[in-house]
Each structure stands twice: as structure tokens, then as C-alpha cells.
Amino acid sequence: MTTSPERPVDPLDSLVLHATDNGVSWITLNRPEAMNAVTWDQRERVISLLADASSDPGVRAVVITATGKGFCAGADLRGAPATAERVPGDVARTIKLGAQRLIAAVLDCEKPVIAAVNGTAAGIGAHLAFACDLVVAAEQAKFIEVFVRRGLVPDGGGAYLLPRLVGPQRAKELMFFGDSVPAADAERLGLVNRVVPADELEKTARAWAERLATGPTRAIALTKQLVNASLESDRATAFAAEAAAQEINMTTADANEGVTSFMERRSPSYEGR
């Protein structure tokens, strides 16, 4: 695994580890002593790395994971830029420019994103995982809609993401009570794709990511866009988007390779273009 050479050494690099290996961008939150509660600087770094993954043809899949016992225990606002006395609109602006941007960066990333959840995912940490395209969780992982415990409204797109994953009534149950949901229950509810022993988490995430990285990257990106938009679209809009995606995808080298390899009765060799 090789670290990115283009950036000068920065202290933040130790708090958000990054490496690219076999076409996979690995983004690792690294504040285990704080259960990886994400700071303002870390959030901006993750957003930047996801944008880089979208634009870099050498990156064809992304894994978001963490060190220690926590995946992400929520937001740690210490270290945020100092502000003057709060005025009406400040809270909404903070959410829009902060937690919502982080979740949008995952949803809008043009490469498939896997969450490898090693431990507790609470608040925005849970939403960070739920925004990913695929979620692999260690057996000891748990997910907590912690906001109600603090008298808060969920942020980071929780009320958008959860109903689409588990339906409105289950989403309300999770958000109204704020109970801890073990990984096995999260899998049963549809919040998690796969639960594995802790010592198999990285191996499983790597296998999935490297499999995605050998796939038709643009076709996967267009498929991601179609699926993400489908729950907000009527049939006519969804069908029009599908037709447009097909038109775009048929201009790619990978689509041509897929058809050619089928005709030649061989396995395709996709280049992500």
C-alpha cells in the first residue's frame, strides 16, 4: 500500500490516514482515543479525499474505516473555526456546510464507497456509514442514533437516509429511542450488507473493494446515481434518467470491452474508462 505523494506532510495526515492500493483509496479515521469523533479538520480532509477519488482515474473504489474500538462516535466540534456571537441562521448554516457536506460527499462520490465499520458508529458516524454504497461491519460494531439522548434533532442527513434504508416506521423507532443497534440486528434491518468477525473486516472490505476496482467504473458510477435518485423520482423521470445513463455509458471503452468480450467468449478486462 502506498501513501499519496502529492501533498506535503501535514499533522492532519496522522488523524486521517490515506493510502491507495490496487485502485482502492483507503480513508482511515485515526483518533482512537476519542472513538474517532470527527473534528472540523478531519471532516474537511475526508471531503477532499472523496473529491480526489472522483476525479482520479487511478482510483476505482473507496473504503472508509477507522482505527481502535470506534468507527466514529459523532462530531467533535473542538477545533472548528472561531465564530462571533451566534445569530439566527448560524446553526442551519453550520449544518449545511458541515455534516451535510460530509454525507453529500459520500453520496456524490463517483466511485463506489464501502464502509468498513470496526466499532461504534454514533450520530454523524452512523450516518457516514449509512451513506456508503456498501457496509461491512465487525461483529462488535454497533449503530446509535444518539441525537435524541442529547435532546437534538438528527443531522447529517439521518432523516433522509434511514427511511430509505429501513422504512419510515423503523427509522422513527431508531431515532425516537436512540437505542444501540448491534451489528447483527443492523444486518437484519438492512442497514448493513455483511457482518464478519473483527479479524476478517479488512480482508472482506479489501476483497469487495478490489473486486469493484476491476469493474466497469463509469457504469458503476452511473448505476449509483440512478439508484440514489430512484427513491425521489416518478417512473417517467427514472426511466428517462436510465435511458440517458445508457446513452452516456455506451460511449465508454469499458462498455465496448464488455460487449466485445461477450462476443469473443472471454472474460472482460475493464480499465475504468
Side-chain angles (χ1 to χ4, degrees), residues 239-250:
F239 277 24
E242 178 186 277
Q246 292 283 3
E247 181 74 24
I248 294 168
N249 190 62
M250 288 309 295

Side-chain angles (χ1 to χ4, degrees), residues 4 7-8 40 44 46 59-60 95 98 131-132 137 143 146 148 160 163 165 186 235 239 258-259 262 267 272:
S4 300
R7 297 175 66 256
W40 186 91
E44 294 304 305
V46 172
V59 172
R60 298 172 64 184
I95 296 299
C132 292
F143 302 84
V146 74
V148 71
Y160 172 88
L165 292 170
R235 186 181 68 182
F239 277 24
V259 173
F262 174 76
S267 297

Side-chain angles (χ1 to χ4, degrees), residues 62-151:
V62 178
V63 176
I64 298 177
T65 190
T67 59
K69 296 182 179 180
F71 175 73
C72 177
D76 185 342
L77 299 180
R78 290 173 295 181
T83 58
E85 183 179 354
R86 181 184 296 170
V87 298
D90 280 354
V91 173
R93 190 178 309 106
T94 297
I95 296 299
K96 290 175 183 177
L97 297 178
Q100 290 179 354
R101 281 181 57 244
L102 175 61
I103 299 306
V106 178
L107 294 171
D108 295 339
C109 183
E110 295 178 27
K111 309 298 167 63
V113 183
I114 297 172
V117 183
N118 53 301
T120 299
I124 188 64
H127 299 167
L128 177 61
F130 298 155
C132 292
D133 302 302
L134 299 170
V135 182
V136 183
E139 290 174 336
Q140 73 271 24
K142 54 186 177 181
F143 302 84
I144 311 172
E145 287 296 318
V146 74
F147 301 95
V148 71
R149 299 185 185 183
R150 312 287 183 257

Side-chain angles (χ1 to χ4, degrees), residues 15 25 43 52 65 76 78 82 84 106 135 154 159 161 173 181 214 249 271:
L15 300 179
S25 173
R43 184 194 71 213
D52 291 345
T65 190
D76 185 342
R78 290 173 295 181
V106 178
V135 182
L161 294 167
E173 178 183 348
V181 180
T214 62
N249 190 62
E271 297 181 357

Side-chain angles (χ1 to χ4, degrees), residues 99-266:
Q100 290 179 354
R101 281 181 57 244
L102 175 61
I103 299 306
V106 178
L107 294 171
D108 295 339
C109 183
E110 295 178 27
K111 309 298 167 63
V113 183
I114 297 172
V117 183
N118 53 301
T120 299
I124 188 64
H127 299 167
L128 177 61
F130 298 155
C132 292
D133 302 302
L134 299 170
V135 182
V136 183
E139 290 174 336
Q140 73 271 24
K142 54 186 177 181
F143 302 84
I144 311 172
E145 287 296 318
V146 74
F147 301 95
V148 71
R149 299 185 185 183
R150 312 287 183 257
L152 301 175
V153 172
D155 65 21
Y160 172 88
L161 294 167
L162 261 72
R164 286 162 170 76
L165 292 170
V166 299
Q169 288 182 309
R170 285 290 192 187
K172 290 171 188 174
E173 178 183 348
L174 295 172
M175 291 180 165
F176 288 0
F177 293 115
D179 292 336
S180 176
V181 180
D185 289 345
E187 183 181 28
R188 176 177 55 80
L189 289 171
L191 295 168
V192 168
N193 294 89
R194 185 77 54 84
V195 176
V196 298
D199 59 2
E200 295 182 14
L201 180 65
E202 181 179 343
K203 177 183 176 181
T204 303
R206 183 178 298 278
W208 281 20
E210 291 184 353
R211 182 176 176 185
L212 289 169
T214 62
T217 307
R218 296 311 304 164
I220 291 173
L222 290 164
T223 301
K224 174 175 177 172
Q225 292 173 14
L226 289 174
V227 173
N228 285 353
S230 67
L231 296 174
E232 299 148 22
S233 303
D234 57 44
R235 186 181 68 182
T237 301
F239 277 24
E242 178 186 277
Q246 292 283 3
E247 181 74 24
I248 294 168
N249 190 62
M250 288 309 295
T251 67
T252 66
D254 281 348
N256 183 66
E257 166 64 9
V259 173
T260 300
S261 64
F262 174 76
M263 298 297 292
E264 295 177 353
R265 298 185 178 182
R266 59 175 175 80

